[in-house]
Amino acid sequence: MNKILVEKNCEKEIYLDSNEDKYIYVLEENASLKVFNFSSDQSFKVEIYLKGENASVEYFFSTINFHDNTYNIKVYHEANNTKSNLVNHGVNVYDKKLNFVVDGIINKDTVGCSCTQDNKIMNLEDGKSKIEPNLLIDSFDSIANHAAYIGNFREEDLFYLKSRGISQSIATKMLTRGFLIHNNPDLEKIGDFLKQIEKL
Amino acid sequence: MLEVKNLSVKVKDSNKIILNNFNLNIGEGEVHVIMGPNGTGKSTLAKSILSHYKFEIVDGEILFNKEKLNNLSTDEVAKRGIFLAMQDPTEIEGVTNSEFLRTALGEVSGNKVNLYQFIKDIEKSYKDVKLSEDMLHRSINKGFSGGEKKKNEILQLKILKPKLIILDEIDSGLDVDSLKVVCENINSYLKENEKTSLLIITHYPRILKYLKPDYVHIMKNGNIKQTGDLSLASFVEKNGYDSINEVDESDANE
């Protein structure tokens, strides 16, 4: 287990490649955290506790899936005016299971919270993918929304790339990379992950 | 160069026939235009040549420099030197124009692309089509206006250097100035590459003010009904497609 505390008034940016099976993040008042989690093929759990007022987290997760895996990500809004934005993108390469279970929990006594999540999985073959976006909102004064999509890369996009002479396999790699590398991460810090995409 | 012989095409997973015993011959360096009303199969022809996933050839053949294209994949057709400038180019989030073009150039040429030469060529091409160079680093067609998307298509053909260009309603949604830029670039490409052929698909003759065709074909109900010169386009503009008498197909395309 990996536990990280972001102290009062501190900003933190973390790059993870998921060697642990559980991560816990605790944010104090006015703390902000940005996590880039690029990993492949290893189930894990994440718990994010927004304990102090005005704490905020942006969690950008991308994964390439080759076997059965479940990713469970929970964010707890325990103070006023806390914000969370979770963006989880997965590419399921074969016919295996890829599950995203993503919970946003806003406590009853809090106000002014914002909890958003965007979950997408692309199946390259007949993957058995599942997304469970759970918004457990017990507060009247909060904003919460989610998007969930499971499907394939658009045939029109593949056709466009191929119509310029790009082969199916390279076109798929380009779309995979475009889909997984989102929100402008530092590419030098995710070299291993980029190599994994190239191997597809 | 391109021979389309007795081609019949249907929508995949349906019995709907779009092209019905269609014939067309395009020689080296020739400029052809296919005009016709909506839903007559013009775009289906363009997409079928490029092995589009929505259509299935049920009869006939498409030959390019004597090679049969029917069973080739889209990228294999493109590698032969056929370029389709699309009517409504798709937007692809996360794949930059730069990455896309460099990869495509490498695939089409079969060579590793020299980055310095690529940047030099592309900077000039961006200026030629009057597009801002910062578009190179943006996702493909993302946030582009209709005119910018069409110019981006022309930019791509300048880089990829095809032998046959198919323009599928390149003029739709273009203002007069953008249409001029697009046509000037096509004309200069044809001048530099005299053996390159051009197939223009359009509803309206206004593009023919800038791109002069050798042959004008009028298409209705899945095949060509009449072939002539530029005067045929003027006739259609004046009298409409309903005025075209259906003739025996063997008279067409010659």
Side-chain angles (χ1 to χ4, degrees):
Chain A
M1 189 183 75
N2 182 301
K3 187 170 179 179
I4 292 169
L5 172 69
V6 187
E7 292 176 342
K8 191 175 171 181
N9 298 322
C10 286
E11 280 181 25
K12 206 161 201 166
E13 186 174 283
I14 297 170
Y15 281 77
L16 289 179
D17 56 5
S18 297
N19 297 314
E20 306 282 346
D21 58 358
K22 187 167 182 180
Y23 296 85
I24 296 177
Y25 303 97
V26 179
L27 281 75
E28 295 180 343
E29 190 180 335
N30 292 317
S32 75
L33 172 67
K34 190 184 271 191
V35 180
F36 289 101
N37 185 343
F38 293 90
S39 70
S40 60
D41 227 21
Q42 188 185 353
S43 298
F44 60 75
K45 291 180 179 175
V46 176
E47 291 176 8
I48 302 164
Y49 294 89
L50 304 173
K51 285 194 173 289
E53 279 199 16
N54 301 313
S56 67
V57 63
E58 288 185 288
Y59 195 92
F60 303 128
F61 170 52
S62 290
T63 186
I64 307 170
N65 197 62
F66 297 98
H67 299 92
D68 291 345
N69 283 293
T70 295
Y71 299 90
N72 194 323
I73 301 166
K74 287 183 181 183
V75 58
Y76 295 90
H77 292 255
E78 296 184 347
N80 292 342
N81 300 317
T82 50
K83 289 183 173 55
S84 64
N85 178 30
L86 314 178
V87 182
N88 306 301
H89 286 187
V91 169
N92 198 0
V93 180
Y94 302 124
D95 58 348
K96 303 296 179 185
K97 290 179 186 167
L98 172 58
N99 298 332
F100 286 173
V101 182
V102 188
D103 301 337
I105 301 137
I106 302 183
N107 279 3
K108 189 175 183 178
D109 299 327
T110 56
V111 294
C113 297
S114 165
C115 174
T116 65
Q117 46 173 280
D118 167 21
N119 308 296
K120 288 181 187 146
I121 296 176
M122 295 293 179
N123 292 322
L124 297 190
E125 291 183 10
D126 295 327
K128 294 158 187 69
S129 303
K130 191 172 166 188
I131 296 173
E132 292 179 46
N134 301 309
L135 292 172
L136 307 169
I137 313 300
D138 208 6
S139 157
F140 290 111
D141 180 21
S142 54
I143 296 168
N145 56 60
H146 75 82
Y149 173 86
I150 299 172
N152 310 100
F153 288 121
R154 294 192 318 153
E155 285 196 278
E156 197 58 38
D157 293 353
L158 280 165
F159 176 74
Y160 191 77
L161 297 176
K162 285 156 68 180
S163 76
R164 303 312 186 231
I166 298 171
S167 66
Q168 171 84 21
S169 64
I170 293 177
T172 303
K173 268 182 211 172
M174 291 171 81
L175 293 177
T176 299
R177 186 184 156 116
F179 175 65
L180 293 176
I181 311 303
H182 52 88
N183 289 287
N184 300 315
D186 182 344
L187 297 181
E188 285 184 8
K189 292 180 177 168
I190 58 168
D192 288 345
F193 189 73
L194 294 173
K195 278 181 197 161
Q196 293 225 359
I197 295 174
E198 285 307 308
K199 282 184 195 163
L200 283 178
Chain B
M1 176 173 268
L2 180 78
E3 295 170 77
V4 182
K5 291 182 180 173
N6 305 318
L7 187 72
S8 293
V9 171
K10 74 176 186 80
V11 177
K12 256 182 200 165
D13 304 323
S14 121
N15 292 323
K16 191 178 177 187
I17 297 281
I18 309 286
L19 296 178
N20 186 11
N21 203 22
F22 182 95
N23 289 282
L24 178 69
N25 290 315
I26 299 179
E28 221 171 59
E30 290 179 355
V31 177
H32 289 239
V33 58
I34 294 180
M35 299 178 68
N38 289 322
T40 200
K42 303 185 299 298
S43 293
T44 299
L45 169 68
K47 287 174 176 169
S48 299
I49 293 169
L50 267 290
S51 298
H52 193 275
Y53 59 93
K54 277 187 184 166
F55 302 107
E56 184 182 331
I57 294 174
V58 290
D59 201 8
E61 54 186 9
I62 304 168
L63 302 168
F64 185 64
N65 291 331
K66 308 286 181 202
E67 184 187 9
K68 193 171 173 179
L69 301 183
N70 293 40
N71 298 318
L72 295 186
S73 61
T74 300
D75 57 301
E76 288 169 334
V77 174
K79 282 192 182 98
R80 301 300 191 269
I82 300 180
F83 183 95
L84 171 61
M86 299 192 196
Q87 185 179 351
D88 185 18
T90 188
E91 297 180 5
I92 305 179
E93 178 86 58
V95 181
T96 64
N97 280 293
S98 152
E99 181 193 359
F100 165 51
L101 270 172
R102 203 170 156 217
T103 305
L105 184 57
E107 289 277 286
V108 167
S109 67
N111 299 318
K112 206 172 173 196
V113 178
N114 178 293
L115 184 60
Y116 175 76
Q117 192 59 46
F118 173 73
I119 297 287
K120 228 173 105 178
D121 288 349
I122 206 154
E123 278 176 354
K124 184 185 176 309
S125 297
Y126 266 90
K127 275 182 194 142
D128 289 345
V129 297
K130 296 189 169 38
L131 279 176
S132 164
E133 278 174 46
D134 66 7
M135 285 176 164
L136 190 56
H137 307 294
R138 282 164 52 184
S139 295
I140 298 170
N141 293 320
K142 192 79 189 167
F144 287 23
S145 69
E148 286 169 340
K149 283 182 183 175
K150 299 290 174 76
K151 286 179 181 175
N152 200 31
E153 297 289 282
I154 302 308
L155 179 135
Q156 289 169 31
L157 83 82
K158 285 164 74 76
I159 298 293
L160 298 177
K161 304 198 185 317
K163 295 171 189 154
L164 170 66
I165 302 164
I166 304 171
L167 304 177
D168 187 7
E169 295 190 30
I170 199 79
D171 49 340
S172 71
L174 276 185
D175 62 53
V176 179
D177 294 336
S178 297
L179 181 63
K180 266 188 190 170
V181 170
V182 161
C183 293
E184 276 167 13
N185 275 278
I186 292 167
N187 278 327
S188 72
Y189 182 84
L190 293 177
K191 203 173 166 186
E192 286 165 21
N193 301 274
E194 287 181 353
K195 289 181 178 177
T196 297
S197 306
L198 176 63
L199 172 62
I200 305 162
I201 289 168
T202 187
H203 292 291
Y204 305 108
R206 72 167 184 161
I207 194 172
L208 307 182
K209 200 171 138 189
Y210 306 104
L211 299 174
K212 300 296 179 198
D214 300 304
Y215 299 93
V216 175
H217 310 281
I218 306 301
M219 188 171 172
K220 284 167 84 176
N221 300 324
N223 56 36
I224 286 173
K225 302 299 180 194
Q226 199 167 330
T227 294
D229 57 18
L230 192 54
S231 62
L232 179 59
S234 306
F235 176 82
V236 166
E237 186 174 30
K238 198 174 166 189
N239 301 291
Y241 289 113
D242 285 344
S243 63
I244 297 297
N245 295 320
E246 301 206 357
V247 294
D248 185 79
E249 204 186 330
S250 58
D251 296 337
N253 315 324
E254 299 300 329

